[in-house]
Amino acid sequence: PNPTTDFVNIKSVVSEKIKSIELYNALGQSISYKGIDNNDTDIKIDLSSLRKGIYFVKIKFENGRIESLKIILK
């Protein structure tokens, strides 16, 4: 769900396997990085330890495609 208060689910709608996920704050500073070992298509990210605000998620797929999403944390 977006906005969220604790978790974000990322699911590849075209069954592309996710290679890695990077999380950035509104200033563009890297908050965390998660390499995906099993190249999953459905990932749950815990945001409950972060401050309220706007964050950006960069998702890298196995085929080289990159997608960015804006997340609002309440």
Side-chain angles (χ1 to χ4, degrees), residues 12 15-20 36-41 59-66:
S12 175
S15 299
E16 288 180 291
K17 293 183 178 179
I18 299 169
K19 184 176 178 182
S20 67
I36 310 301
D37 293 333
N38 58 357
N39 290 325
D40 208 347
T41 58
I59 305 164
K60 294 182 183 178
F61 294 91
E62 189 177 54
N63 66 0
R65 188 171 73 88
I66 298 172

Side-chain angles (χ1 to χ4, degrees), residues 5-70:
T5 57
D6 49 12
F7 289 95
V8 167
N9 294 311
I10 297 175
K11 184 170 184 164
S12 175
V13 293
V14 290
S15 299
E16 288 180 291
K17 293 183 178 179
I18 299 169
K19 184 176 178 182
S20 67
I21 296 173
E22 296 175 56
L23 183 64
Y24 297 90
N25 65 15
L27 300 174
Q29 299 166 323
S30 180
I31 300 296
S32 68
Y33 170 83
K34 182 176 181 180
I36 310 301
D37 293 333
N38 58 357
N39 290 325
D40 208 347
T41 58
D42 192 8
I43 308 290
K44 186 174 189 176
I45 300 174
D46 181 3
L47 303 175
S48 61
S49 64
L50 299 176
R51 299 169 117 184
K52 295 177 183 179
I54 296 174
Y55 294 88
F56 298 92
V57 178
K58 183 190 291 185
I59 305 164
K60 294 182 183 178
F61 294 91
E62 189 177 54
N63 66 0
R65 188 171 73 88
I66 298 172
E67 186 158 332
S68 296
L69 305 169
K70 180 170 83 171

